Amino acid sequence: MLTLGIESSCDDTSIAVIENGTRILASLVSSQIEIHRRFGGVVPEIASRKHLEAILPLLRETIEKSGIKISQIGQVAVTAGPGLSGPLLTGLSCAKAVAWHLKIPLIPVNHLEAHLTASFLANERLPEYPFLGLIVSGGHSNLVIAKGPRGYETLGYTVDDAPGELFDKVARHLQLGYPGGPIIQKTGEGANPKKYELPRPMAGKGYLFSFSGLKTAVVRLCETEGDKLDLPALCAALQLAVADTFSRKVGNALKESGLKRLVIAGGVAANRPLREELARLAEAHQAEFLMPSIHLCTDNAAMIAAHGFISADLAPQNAILVNAAANWDMGAPFNF
Ligand code: KG4
Ligand code: ZN
């Protein structure tokens, strides 16, 4: 079974072809990062227009690269949400057109559910349930118990900023560039993470997260240190504070749930200190640890196709009528 995947929820247009849910024949990404960089973040109207320009040439290129004919595609999986409405609509309309034309099933996919599937895809495996999932990105910080391809119990979420948003905002404050996460990681490499002490937000608050206080703490530290500021040490301390915060809460969730598989996903799952800390934690709990390879951490259509493959049975019959859903909780019904 060949599944075509289409992703356009934010600033990356991506199209992929995968075989039997695990083998990537082609996965191309057209990034808009250079366009949005000068604004320090994604501008939705510009993003919509760029998706529209990119999507058909990218579809052609992906089919060519995968070495198949488009008529061999058996089903189309597409991100229907959550994300930016305009960008989502571009991908959804393209997917509907392909499915309609080829008379093949359309599978609307939840972007966050697909992020978790990316960690299995990175190991050429189909997801095995249940597991404890942590999605950390520019917009999300969700801790969930995954019970099936469309069954999730949310344990925790952020009450304000997501961790990627924290890294992006701090990088902007320090005038380091955009996106902030990779730059902060690089700047902090080899530095002493204990030189500066930053708070561990919401330490006693169950599974809820909050990262806006950490941003304020960094701004204050910059003010008090002035010219003396040790930038690499600050970047290392910030990453340690984030890794430590997740480690404590994920550790509690592993203990409480008794789950023996931990899966992390999303753009911030590329963060080395976080990956290392959570790998240690999983080992201490004798849990299997799965994380996506770096190129499957950020938004991509391969994970959408993979998640479409395993959730095809759960797609609505009249999927062609599904609408884009800017807000769509994991496991929640489709938006008609
Ligand atoms: O999942 P993603 O590609 O897009 C969504 O937000 O859905 O995640 C993007 C976020 C950005 O905030 C970026 O700064 C962060 O992921 N990021 C990282 C790293 N690479 C990307 N954060 C920390 N360390 C990294 N190596
Ligand atoms: Zn994403």
Side-chain angles (χ1 to χ4, degrees):
M1 166 59 87
L2 296 177
T3 308
L4 181 75
I6 300 183
E7 153 68 32
S8 66
S9 64
C10 190
D11 59 343
D12 290 317
T13 324
S14 178
I15 303 194
V17 177
I18 72 167
E19 190 180 28
N20 296 332
T22 53
R23 201 163 84 83
I24 302 174
L25 299 190
S27 178
L28 301 189
V29 181
S30 164
S31 171
Q32 305 176 4
I33 228 161
E34 289 308 322
I35 299 156
H36 299 287
R37 200 188 291 278
R38 69 191 133 119
F39 302 104
V42 179
V43 185
E45 288 76 12
I46 299 178
S48 303
R49 200 170 329 132
K50 292 291 159 194
H51 283 301
L52 197 56
E53 286 168 17
I55 205 156
L56 289 180
L58 196 65
L59 174 61
R60 222 165 274 133
E61 207 182 329
T62 308
I63 297 295
E64 222 165 83
K65 179 125 193 272
S66 62
I68 59 149
K69 290 199 201 75
I70 196 162
S71 56
Q72 289 174 265
I73 301 277
Q75 54 189 12
V76 185
V78 60
T79 306
L84 302 168
S85 299
L88 282 169
L89 273 174
T90 316
L92 192 57
S93 305
C94 177
K96 285 180 178 181
V98 174
W100 179 264
H101 177 71
L102 296 176
K103 300 189 174 57
I104 55 176
L106 177 73
I107 310 156
V109 167
N110 179 296
H111 180 88
L112 299 173
E113 296 175 9
H115 262 303
L116 289 175
T117 296
S119 303
F120 292 91
L121 179 63
N123 296 284
E124 298 205 333
R125 277 167 58 176
L126 292 175
E128 288 157 67
Y129 300 93
F131 62 80
L132 183 68
L134 176 70
I135 302 159
V136 279
S137 72
H140 292 91
S141 177
N142 292 6
L143 184 62
V144 301
I145 295 178
K147 298 172 174 172
R150 295 238 57 233
Y152 302 87
E153 183 189 332
T154 299
L155 299 178
Y157 50 87
T158 177
V159 297
D160 43 53
D161 291 353
E165 202 174 354
L166 164 73
F167 287 133
D168 293 342
K169 285 181 175 172
V170 166
R172 195 185 314 167
H173 181 76
L174 298 169
Q175 297 183 324
L176 295 176
Y178 170 85
I183 305 173
I184 286 176
Q185 178 175 318
K186 195 147 191 288
T187 311
E189 251 159 41
N192 173 14
K194 300 211 166 128
K195 174 166 176 176
Y196 295 125
E197 211 171 298
L198 291 171
R200 304 293 187 259
M202 309 282 268
K205 295 270 166 62
Y207 296 123
L208 292 180
F209 301 102
S210 160
F211 292 102
S212 75
L214 254 177
K215 180 193 63 198
T216 313
V218 170
V219 172
R220 286 228 186 88
L221 187 76
C222 292
E223 282 164 8
T224 48
E225 286 292 288
D227 291 343
K228 291 200 307 303
L229 182 73
D230 180 343
L231 189 60
L234 170 60
C235 291
L238 181 62
Q239 292 175 91
L240 178 65
V242 170
D244 213 25
T245 299
F246 282 118
S247 182
R248 287 182 198 189
K249 300 204 181 222
V250 171
N252 289 342
L254 281 172
K255 202 150 88 189
E256 203 168 292
S257 67
L259 289 168
K260 289 292 172 204
R261 192 175 294 127
L262 170 64
V263 177
I264 65 163
V268 180
N271 186 255
R272 176 140 15 107
L274 181 64
R275 288 164 89 100
E276 286 174 358
E277 175 54 32
L278 293 180
R280 250 196 312 274
L281 181 79
E283 201 183 337
H285 283 82
Q286 288 156 342
E288 183 189 13
F289 181 57
L290 282 129
M291 57 186 168
S293 49
I294 300 293
H295 72 282
L296 286 173
C297 276
T298 45
D299 292 347
N300 66 86
M303 69 182 193
I304 304 300
H307 198 71
F309 179 84
I310 55 150
S311 61
D313 294 352
L314 305 167
Q317 287 295 321
N318 49 347
I320 204 97
L321 299 177
V322 164
N323 274 317
N327 300 301
W328 184 17
D329 290 340
M330 298 172 75
F334 298 97
N335 178 40
F336 282 99

